Amino acid sequence: MEIRPILSALLRNKTGAILVALQVALSLAILANAVHIVSERRAAAARPSGIADETAVFKIDVSHLSSDSPEQQLARQKREAELLRAVPGVAAVAQVNQVPMSQSGWNNSVALDRRQTDESSPSSAYFSPDSLVKAWGLKIVEGRDFLPGEAQDIDINKNDVPHVVILSKALAEKLWPGQSAVGRIMYFGTGEGAMEVRVVGVVERLQSHGAEVSARGELSSIAPVRLYGSNQAYTFTIRAEPGQRDRVIREAEAALRKASATPVILETRTVEGLRKSRYRADMALSWMLVTVSVLLLLITASGIVGMASLWVTQRRKQIGVRRALGARKVDILRYFLTENFLITSAGVFGGVLLGVGLNQLLVSKLEMARLPLGYLGGGAILLWALGVLAVYGPAWRAASTSPALATRST
């Protein structure tokens, strides 16, 4: 079949063809980026936090309604940590300033040189005098865990600083790509006030407290520090023996309340609960985008069907004449399918350009990942197939019309 007559017919009635092509272009641009966002969000929601068994770990935020001195605060924190370790079913206890996916915590700028004015990388800063490697089951991939003598009790109102640090693999790779991080010197902060620390170990993974969807969500550091002196609130993270978490939570809360001579406020959250809360909005966005994408495809298909049906009606006599002159059903069917394929192809080409442009906007404004070309390719194939299926019904009805009926006047 020659394409020229089809193109000539489209140019004579180009308004409908342009509208369908624009609809296909917009659908492809939105669909490809929407599916990319859904894929990113779902992958982020499913990625491991670094904690070996999230079902066994929880945190307790402790707030005492008293005005103790910094020394009294420190003594109480140590006493309560030992109290929690004595609860039956407790496998490990660590005092910590934040927990992965908690959406609240500390960040530090990291630099490789004290003279830097700009950071080399951001870092989610974990401080714990206890072994988070043991408490959370973090996997050491290089170097070692902290030694008992390296833990420090630091009054937050003074200028004491940690001396050693453990990094997540993602942060170590960002600072020293393709090189060993163990033994390296880095700085928390920039300028003259930067704190020098030495890297002693690297863990395979440790998500930040924000668990950002971007690579930043994997950039974390751990310092062997117990902070005290700022207020009466602090956090313990506890790993229970398998299957005993809920009982341990109840008994740990009861033990802390019983041991406190002053009113105490306890807030307990499981890591499972933190994960669900952190990604609730992402999952809602994913389902919304899936719904929008399905509706968009249905609207696009409806538009193609409607336009094809209109064209069949308008060309009823032309179809009858062609049939009377010897055109077969397959010729009529192929004509409409080819016509629709040309329109859809024009829309797909425009959709690829629109999709890339839309992704560039999202990358620049929202720090999203670049759109892989596979999403545009898959969307193009889907819309081509959708176009063929949508026009097939009207085209088949047109091909099945008898010449006598089709040429009947009106």
Side-chain angles (χ1 to χ4, degrees), residues 38-360:
V38 169
S39 177
E40 266 200 328
R41 301 290 167 146
R42 289 186 174 274
R47 65 186 173 177
S49 63
I51 298 175
D53 183 5
E54 293 184 1
T55 63
V57 177
F58 62 96
K59 75 180 183 88
I60 299 181
D61 296 323
V62 184
S63 299
H64 285 275
L65 304 180
S66 61
S67 54
D68 295 335
S69 66
E71 291 73 20
Q72 290 173 320
Q73 293 177 31
L74 177 60
R76 183 173 58 208
Q77 290 173 17
K78 292 182 176 180
R79 184 172 61 252
E80 288 178 342
E82 292 304 319
L83 187 68
L84 291 172
R85 291 188 180 97
V87 173
V90 169
V93 174
Q95 186 176 335
V96 69
N97 64 318
Q98 61 190 23
V99 176
M101 302 176 291
S102 61
Q103 303 183 72
S104 176
W106 294 28
N107 289 309
N108 262 340
S109 295
V110 174
L112 296 178
D113 192 309
R114 193 188 297 274
R115 293 168 293 182
Q116 287 182 223
T117 56
D118 297 324
E119 66 180 12
S120 299
S121 173
S123 167
S124 184
Y126 290 87
F127 297 103
S128 176
D130 308 296
S131 174
L132 290 180
V133 172
K134 295 178 180 177
W136 288 344
L138 304 179
K139 183 179 179 181
I140 292 280
V141 294
E142 187 181 3
R144 59 171 175 81
D145 194 2
F146 297 122
L147 301 175
E150 291 173 330
Q152 298 172 257
D153 295 327
I154 293 181
D155 187 336
I156 201 168
N157 300 303
K158 299 181 180 179
N159 294 323
D160 295 334
V161 298
H163 304 299
V164 292
V165 68
I166 291 176
L167 306 181
S168 66
K169 185 178 179 180
L171 180 55
E173 282 289 333
K174 183 172 183 179
L175 296 176
W176 298 284
Q179 304 177 52
S180 172
V182 174
R184 302 271 187 171
I185 298 298
M186 54 174 269
Y187 298 86
F188 282 134
T190 57
E192 292 301 319
M195 301 180 294
E196 179 181 310
V197 291
R198 178 171 54 88
V199 180
V200 298
V202 176
V203 294
E204 182 178 41
R205 184 186 297 270
L206 178 57
Q207 274 191 27
S208 69
H209 61 275
E212 295 87 349
V213 175
S214 65
R216 181 169 179 161
E218 304 285 342
L219 305 177
S220 302
S221 62
I222 308 171
V225 168
R226 186 197 320 267
L227 297 173
Y228 67 97
S230 61
N231 53 46
Q232 304 296 315
Y234 43 92
T235 299
F236 292 106
T237 180
I238 300 171
R239 177 167 57 86
E241 297 289 351
Q244 301 190 49
R245 186 194 66 189
D246 294 343
R247 179 189 59 77
V248 169
I249 288 175
R250 293 192 298 271
E251 294 188 10
E253 290 179 343
L256 289 174
R257 287 194 172 94
K258 184 177 180 180
S260 178
T262 58
V264 59
I265 299 174
L266 305 177
E267 182 180 354
T268 303
R269 297 286 301 278
T270 65
V271 172
E272 280 185 315
L274 291 172
R275 176 179 287 279
K276 184 176 181 181
S277 176
R278 165 60 186 87
Y279 292 111
R280 182 178 291 113
D282 294 272
M283 298 307 293
L285 175 63
S286 295
W287 283 114
M288 182 188 74
L289 290 175
V290 168
T291 303
V292 168
S293 298
V294 171
L295 291 175
L296 196 59
L297 289 174
L298 290 174
I299 292 170
T300 302
S302 299
I304 295 172
V305 169
M307 192 60 66
S309 298
L310 177 63
W311 287 336
V312 168
T313 302
Q314 290 176 339
R315 301 173 189 176
R316 189 180 183 88
K317 183 175 289 188
Q318 175 190 343
I319 294 168
V321 171
R322 291 191 64 193
R323 289 295 309 279
L325 293 175
R328 299 168 299 170
K329 288 185 179 181
V330 69
D331 296 324
I332 304 299
L333 182 64
R334 186 168 55 185
Y335 179 92
F336 281 102
L337 291 176
T338 303
E339 183 180 65
N340 179 263
F341 180 79
L342 292 175
I343 296 171
T344 304
S345 295
V348 164
F349 179 76
V352 169
L353 298 180
L354 280 174
V356 172
L358 178 58
N359 180 248
Q360 286 289 92

Side-chain angles (χ1 to χ4, degrees), residues 396-407:
W396 179 256
R397 288 196 300 273
S400 301
T401 304
S402 68
L405 184 62
T407 54

